[in-house]
Amino acid sequence: MDSTSTFPQQQQMQDHRVHDLHPTVDEHSSIVSDCESSVSGNTRQQQQQNSDSFLVRLGEGDVVHDLIKTRFLRGLGSLSNQTEILAIHRNACSDVVSQARLQSFHVYAGAVSKLRGGNSNVKYAWYGTSSENDVRDILSNGFSHVHGHSLCLSPDDSPLQSVKSCLVGRDGVRHLILCKVILGRAEIVKPDTKQCYPSCENYDSGVDSFSAPTKYMIWSSRMNTHVWPAYVISFRVSSFKEIGMSEEEHVRPTSPWMPFPNLISVLSKVLPSLDIALISKFYKAKQERKISRHELIQKVRQIAGDKLLISAINSYRAKVQILSFWLF
């Protein structure tokens, strides 16, 4: 794979097509794109002319290319300044097996929709690959031949974890696959779980948080039916270790600044009751030593978000300082 074009040489397509380009709000403004449907448009796409014929390169100025690029970089935060997008490809779905696999995905989406009251809960999510060959194997054969009890993906607006899981290939190039995922009805799953199927028939997938998920988990039996690899984005990241640390540590709140009961009281004024109930449940689990302090902090961060937590903690510290001034 050439690091400049990323996948081998391509030429301009004569048939300019855009594949279901309409962004949707209920799917986090994701791009909906399936290879079997198209409408005419002024886009620039390049078709592979070799063994990588399962990929179509999207050119700069293509609507889908620009939406994916913008979404990806926005999700990286400050790391976007150190990220160079080399290429974005679409799964061409050019052979009979790929078309059958995509048709199967739609059949299962319809089945889950009927089972879950009309909502199949299809989302877009990122998967970090280990190599160029990994990309080819997944597009050709699906996921289950290379994975264990579950497949872990990142929501399309939070690609950082998947970026970190990518192995660096030749010339420092990394590859992420943007997938369509059937989540159906999700259940909370612990990060270190060995769970390989739903806890009961009421659930279809796993997440680490309902309100602010950073991980989607698809069970081994559903990897090739509930996940469709739609796009591949190839990129380089400079100074990744340094930037990655700053993303994790830069504004990380710590609980000594504010007792958890006080924090819960403040958050209850702005967060939905369900989120407060979850935070209270995790705090009780910490008191009963079922989870560690670190796990509690991570769960609260996932639910409330760092900005809200920092605001609450800073407000609390300011009040404490004022009180200390008057008392002492």
Side-chain angles (χ1 to χ4, degrees):
M1 190 183 296
D2 180 8
S3 63
T4 56
S5 63
T6 308
F7 285 87
Q9 282 199 336
Q10 306 145 344
Q11 66 182 35
Q12 200 74 9
M13 288 182 67
Q14 298 299 318
D15 177 24
H16 300 298
R17 297 178 295 175
V18 180
H19 294 254
D20 291 334
L21 299 179
H22 309 292
T24 60
V25 175
D26 59 334
E27 291 188 2
H28 302 290
S29 298
S30 299
I31 306 131
V32 179
S33 175
D34 292 335
C35 67
E36 82 281 15
S37 61
S38 64
V39 295
S40 298
N42 294 320
T43 65
R44 290 174 294 167
Q45 300 183 353
Q46 297 173 325
Q47 178 73 52
Q48 303 281 5
Q49 299 297 316
N50 48 38
S51 60
D52 283 327
S53 60
F54 50 79
L55 287 169
V56 173
R57 180 164 182 167
L58 306 181
E60 290 281 351
D62 178 272
V63 178
V64 175
H65 174 285
D66 293 348
L67 285 173
I68 292 176
K69 178 179 178 179
T70 299
R71 188 73 170 171
F72 176 65
L73 292 176
R74 184 182 299 157
L76 292 180
S78 61
L79 185 61
S80 63
N81 297 325
Q82 306 294 328
T83 303
E84 176 189 7
I85 306 297
L86 301 176
I88 298 176
H89 293 82
R90 175 175 58 79
N91 187 344
C93 195
S94 57
D95 61 274
V96 175
V97 174
S98 295
Q99 292 168 10
R101 192 176 293 123
L102 177 60
Q103 185 177 6
S104 174
F105 177 87
H106 286 305
V107 170
Y108 273 92
V112 172
S113 178
K114 291 179 180 179
L115 191 63
R116 305 304 177 203
N119 182 17
S120 58
N121 197 16
V122 175
K123 303 289 185 183
Y124 275 85
W126 298 101
Y127 172 75
T129 66
S130 60
S131 66
E132 299 170 12
N133 288 335
D134 194 23
V135 174
R136 293 187 178 96
D137 287 344
I138 289 169
L139 293 179
S140 298
N141 306 306
F143 288 93
S144 60
H145 71 292
V146 291
H147 296 283
H149 61 276
S150 67
L151 180 68
C152 186
L153 305 101
S154 303
D156 70 326
D157 61 351
S158 304
L160 186 58
Q161 290 304 316
S162 289
V163 169
K164 289 181 178 181
S165 70
C166 277
L167 295 185
V168 183
R170 187 175 57 191
D171 299 325
V173 179
R174 305 169 192 256
H175 308 284
L176 281 185
I177 299 179
L178 182 59
C179 306
K180 283 185 82 171
V181 183
I182 304 170
L183 292 179
R185 183 179 296 159
E187 62 180 310
I188 293 291
V189 177
K190 293 182 179 180
D192 58 349
T193 183
K194 300 299 182 184
Q195 187 175 337
C196 57
Y197 47 80
S199 61
C200 68
E201 62 183 12
N202 293 328
Y203 300 110
D204 306 293
S205 63
V207 295
D208 59 346
S209 167
F210 287 132
S211 58
T214 60
K215 293 180 181 178
Y216 296 149
M217 280 153 278
I218 305 299
W219 312 124
S220 57
S221 62
R222 303 179 181 187
M223 289 178 187
N224 281 346
T225 57
H226 286 50
V227 183
W228 170 253
Y231 299 95
V232 179
I233 183 168
S234 304
F235 60 98
R236 286 196 194 95
V237 179
S238 60
S239 304
F240 179 73
K241 185 175 180 182
E242 240 175 60
I243 300 296
M245 272 175 101
S246 68
E247 285 293 313
E248 288 286 317
E249 305 290 345
H250 177 56
V251 288
R252 177 176 293 177
T254 56
S255 60
W257 296 351
M258 186 176 188
F260 265 102
N262 297 63
L263 179 62
I264 293 173
S265 176
V266 172
L267 294 178
S268 66
K269 299 176 182 178
V270 292
L271 290 178
S273 57
L274 179 59
D275 287 348
I276 297 302
L278 280 173
I279 292 175
S280 299
K281 176 183 176 181
F282 293 138
Y283 177 61
K284 182 179 179 181
K286 164 62 176 63
Q287 289 180 309
E288 296 172 351
R289 299 186 177 181
K290 294 179 179 179
I291 63 174
S292 67
R293 176 176 173 277
H294 175 73
E295 288 175 319
L296 172 61
I297 292 173
Q298 293 303 310
K299 290 180 183 298
V300 174
R301 290 181 66 203
Q302 291 166 4
I303 295 172
D306 285 347
K307 289 185 179 179
L308 178 56
L309 289 177
I310 291 172
S311 176
I313 291 170
N314 287 341
S315 176
Y316 174 80
R317 292 179 69 194
K319 290 179 181 178
V320 169
Q321 289 175 353
I322 293 172
L323 181 61
S324 298
F325 174 80
W326 287 107
L327 290 178
F328 303 102

